Amino acid sequence: MIGPPGSGKSKVGRILAAGLGVTVRDTDTDIEAAAGKPVSEIFVDDGEPRFRELEREAVLAALAEHDGVLSLGGGAIMNPATQEALEKYAADGGHVVFLDVPLAIAAQRVGMNQARPLLLGNPRAQWQKLMTERRPTYERLATLTIVSSERPGEQVAAEIMEALGLDQGVPELVDPKRGTHESTEESTT
């Protein structure tokens, strides 16, 4: 899954993986585990170039090792090696799903989230700038584009499964601590 911050990649990825009976992997989580600190601290302590290097390594490793649902950070697709790997993955029959989202919805979801260092300052303007730069690449790499909008993650996952001809069904994702459905917000960049 590819897409901008606030598109729902993390949540929809978890739901989709549960519906398919496979595992989900998030490259931002892999990066944080490898670095031993949150993405926001990597940006501050080591800089964006180091983060992008770690991101490239995480994406390439995940594509080589993981056979479930994979959620990529919003900017991962800008690396030429990642683009090449995703193109090969798609050519080999894999699905690259672009979760698109309108700015107004993304802004509600990401707000002033400190964990999203590229959106600090003016999140709406920064998000729009990132999308202007990234949209052509998202669209070129995608084998399927789904607009997540305001719909619950379960509906978005069901639409993906239907579009891909997968009929397993999508279970409801319930927060075991509260017994309620999870919010539509993502937790990573």
Side-chain angles (χ1 to χ4, degrees):
M1 300 186 109
I2 61 174
S7 62
K9 297 181 303 288
S10 295
K11 180 180 182 183
V12 172
R14 288 190 305 272
I15 297 167
L16 188 59
L20 295 171
V22 298
T23 59
V24 64
R25 187 165 170 178
D26 187 304
T27 57
D28 280 350
T29 302
D30 290 353
I31 294 164
E32 290 178 343
K37 54 187 163 185
V39 167
S40 58
E41 288 183 25
I42 298 169
F43 267 78
V44 171
D45 297 346
D46 308 316
E48 185 178 357
R50 176 64 180 145
F51 170 78
R52 295 299 176 196
E53 180 182 322
L54 292 169
E55 183 177 56
R56 178 187 49 79
E57 293 168 4
V59 170
L60 295 178
L63 284 171
E65 303 164 1
H66 186 68
D67 62 356
V69 175
L70 178 61
S71 176
L72 276 59
I77 51 91
M78 298 308 288
N79 182 285
T82 298
Q83 290 175 26
E84 185 178 322
L86 288 171
E87 288 167 345
K88 181 180 180 334
Y89 176 76
D92 290 343
H95 302 287
V96 178
V97 178
F98 168 30
L99 282 187
D100 199 357
V101 63
L103 170 60
I105 304 303
Q108 290 172 7
R109 291 179 181 169
V110 298
M112 298 296 283
N113 191 332
Q114 295 289 327
R116 299 175 190 274
L118 292 181
L119 297 181
L120 292 177
N122 182 341
R124 285 178 171 264
Q126 292 292 13
W127 189 91
Q128 188 64 46
K129 178 180 181 271
L130 291 174
M131 276 305 286
T132 298
E133 295 168 358
R134 296 174 180 175
R135 179 175 293 283
T137 305
Y138 288 139
E139 291 174 347
R140 180 175 55 80
L141 293 172
T143 59
L144 174 65
T145 298
I146 300 289
V147 178
S148 64
S149 210
E150 291 181 324
R151 297 178 297 149
E154 292 82 6
Q155 286 181 2
V156 176
E159 183 178 344
I160 292 168
M161 291 178 76
E162 182 180 334
L164 298 178
L166 306 169
D167 299 317
Q168 285 91 334
V170 176
E172 292 190 18
L173 189 62
V174 175
D175 181 338
K177 295 177 191 148
R178 293 181 281 190
T180 59
H181 295 287
E182 288 189 1
S183 73
T184 56
E185 293 182 23
E186 283 187 58
S187 61
T188 59
T189 57

